[in-house]
Amino acid sequence: MKFLLIGGGAREHAMALALKKNTDVELYSVMGNKNPGILRLSEKVLQVKETELERIREFAVSNKIEIAVVGPEASLGAGISNLLGEVGIPTVGPKKELALIETDKEFCRNVMAEYSIPANLTYACFNDFEEACAYVDSYNGELVVKPVGLTGGKGVKVQGEHLKNKEDVKVYIREVLERGIGGGRVVLEEKALGEEFTVQAFVDGSNVIPMPAVQDHKRAYEGDTGHNTGGMGSYSMVDGLLPFLTTEDYNFAVDVIKKTVMALKNKTGESYRGILYGQFMKGSEIKLIEFNCRFGDPEIMNVLTILKSDFSELCRHIVEGGLKGAVFSELATVCKYVVPEGYGFNPPPPCEIEVNEGAIADEGANLYYAVVNEKNGKLFTTTSRAVAIVGVADSFEEAEKIAEKAISHIRGEHIYHRRDIGTRELIERKLRNMEKFIG
Ligand code: GLY
């Protein structure tokens, strides 16, 4: 079966490896960079930006693609599923009317409010600066400022963290509105406190099959300090829960996802086919921080690495219907990203890195190439994340050790990773943090 894969990061390398476990899969790929992991798994590669929809459609048609699988939200938001649908190619990834659940934060909050979906936050949306300031002045508590549209993960600012006080909140609102960041409209949300967790689900229009819960670490430096990034690493536990997450909490999150799939169908008349990602905050209650219309990165690597079911078959069921379930190994995973120094802030020009694939495999770890470029047999960093390593074992401590040993086989100047992700020390700190909220 011929699959088209869109995207050139570690998320897409993980999808490529999972698809190619089925030896009947022929892979055709589209990416803006030259990811060596995806390159070697693909029959053919179209090297264009993931939003060049017409070029992607031509490539898909001329190669007689049967199913397309989309990694990045930008392609979905631009309407790749609509366009491929017009030429009879079904897509794992929703149409743009449904991708609004990620690409338009006002739409997301409005759908949750209109359909009384639990876990919504108090919110208000503005494009008038004075009206927004009046809301800030009258609001009793701290706020989160989010541009309504996509900003590549750089738009969200939190009072008490990035913004010191109400004056800073107003300054940032003005910047979003005047500079047209994320469409120049702003959502002001109640600040949710607690520990974040991710639940992702396969969705075939009506059936929702959840995956194990994962915790991502967005802060750039150890001890969860520094600026926010796309994610420096993540872990999952043997039981599919997290140290601070009960079965009841997990089921609640899955229910929020199920209700949202139904609400989207009622609101748009379209069926959601793809991955729905919920990022939640558990504090005294569980709140929905955001939905994504695709796999999370790094969270995909925690779940696909332990997926026992045939991913290509799951993709077929997502587009045709009849999804029944997915089986995951009962193992813990720890994912750590190697990134350029200054990633998410002020990264250096491309620098060469050496990845000893054989030694990493000998450590029993899984390797996923992210946004790197291969040139004349050498590997170079970009401004984004470079390489992800995933350790898998019977315990998170063992998985963390495997990941850490494997990372010692990645060499280069101006790169770093967070050693603390997946360690008992960090996880116990998170449990202590949770005690503040649930006593
Ligand atoms: N891990 C967060 C994201 O994929 O957006």
Side-chain angles (χ1 to χ4, degrees), residues 10-50:
R11 175 178 51 202
E12 290 78 19
H13 188 197
M15 288 195 252
L17 282 165
L19 285 170
K20 289 292 287 183
K21 280 191 185 155
N22 180 338
T23 51
D24 290 336
V25 167
E26 279 180 43
L27 196 65
Y28 293 76
S29 302
V30 176
M31 57 181 149
N33 56 312
K34 286 192 172 171
N35 180 314
I38 301 174
L39 278 174
R40 74 176 74 132
L41 294 167
S42 304
E43 308 290 322
K44 265 194 206 170
V45 176
L46 173 69
Q47 206 188 345
V48 296
K49 273 213 246 154
E50 291 93 353

Side-chain angles (χ1 to χ4, degrees), residues 216 218 230 277 292 294 296-299:
D216 182 16
K218 290 213 168 53
Y277 164 116
N292 290 334
R294 37 93 191 164
D297 186 355
E299 293 97 321

Side-chain angles (χ1 to χ4, degrees), residues 76-375:
L76 294 165
I80 190 65
S81 305
N82 305 61
L83 208 64
L84 292 177
E86 285 168 14
V87 291
I89 301 173
T91 303
V92 176
K95 289 185 174 169
K96 66 178 175 190
E97 299 82 338
L98 298 158
L100 287 173
I101 199 73
E102 172 169 1
T103 62
D104 183 335
K105 292 182 174 62
E106 183 174 11
F107 174 86
C108 171
R109 292 288 163 212
N110 287 347
V111 168
M112 292 186 78
E114 190 178 339
Y115 291 88
S116 304
I117 296 171
N120 205 5
L121 294 165
T122 305
Y123 72 104
C125 304
F126 302 93
N127 41 19
D128 181 274
F129 179 64
E130 298 305 328
E131 284 175 23
C133 288
Y135 183 83
V136 173
D137 287 333
S138 67
Y139 189 80
N140 183 17
E142 291 187 311
L143 288 163
V144 177
V145 184
K146 297 183 175 178
V148 163
L150 292 180
T151 55
K154 296 189 183 74
V156 177
K157 296 208 175 172
V158 181
Q159 189 179 342
E161 294 178 26
H162 319 88
L163 309 169
K164 278 201 300 289
N165 49 35
K166 288 194 174 192
E167 277 323 298
D168 279 5
V169 168
K170 291 179 190 173
V171 168
Y172 183 53
I173 291 172
R174 187 191 282 282
E175 188 184 339
V176 171
L177 300 182
E178 289 185 354
R179 293 184 47 209
I181 298 171
R185 186 165 165 81
V186 82
V187 190
L188 303 182
E189 288 178 358
E190 147 197 8
K191 178 176 166 184
L193 296 171
E195 282 295 327
E196 283 182 18
F197 66 96
T198 299
V199 178
Q200 304 166 91
F202 301 107
V203 185
D204 69 357
S206 50
N207 298 299
V208 172
I209 307 295
M211 304 177 220
V214 181
Q215 188 171 38
D216 182 16
H217 297 74
K218 290 213 168 53
R219 297 302 190 109
Y221 306 124
E222 287 172 14
D224 283 333
T225 56
H227 54 277
N228 272 337
T229 68
M232 293 293 296
S234 46
Y235 69 92
S236 67
M237 307 297 267
V238 170
D239 59 3
L241 301 173
L242 293 165
F244 55 86
L245 199 71
T246 64
T247 304
E248 198 182 24
D249 297 332
Y250 176 80
N251 290 342
F252 174 81
V254 172
D255 193 49
V256 169
I257 293 175
K258 286 185 175 166
K259 288 192 163 91
T260 304
V261 169
M262 278 167 54
L264 285 170
K265 171 87 187 180
N266 287 332
K267 184 150 186 82
T268 66
E270 296 282 352
S271 297
Y272 192 103
R273 295 179 194 281
I275 309 302
L276 189 54
Y277 164 116
Q279 188 195 6
F280 297 88
M281 181 77 83
K282 178 176 174 181
S284 53
E285 296 175 89
I286 293 178
K287 296 288 186 181
L288 185 280
I289 301 298
E290 66 179 22
F291 277 119
N292 290 334
C293 59
R294 37 93 191 164
F295 274 115
D297 186 355
E299 293 97 321
I300 184 174
M301 287 174 277
N302 301 89
V303 294
L304 286 195
T305 308
I306 56 164
L307 178 67
K308 284 167 87 175
S309 309
D310 179 342
F311 182 54
S312 69
E313 273 298 294
L314 287 172
C315 290
R316 195 172 63 75
H317 283 301
I318 286 172
V319 299
E320 288 177 1
L323 258 184
K324 288 201 173 53
V327 182
F328 295 88
S329 303
E330 289 181 11
L331 292 168
T333 65
V334 172
C335 174
K336 300 194 187 215
Y337 254 122
V338 174
V339 306
E341 283 168 4
Y343 159 58
F345 180 59
N346 185 21
C351 69
E352 190 183 343
I353 52 170
E354 284 172 34
V355 177
N356 186 338
E357 293 188 5
I360 290 169
D362 288 347
E363 301 289 1
N366 300 271
L367 161 71
Y368 300 99
Y369 286 104
V371 191
V372 284
N373 282 309
E374 193 170 39
K375 250 189 244 165

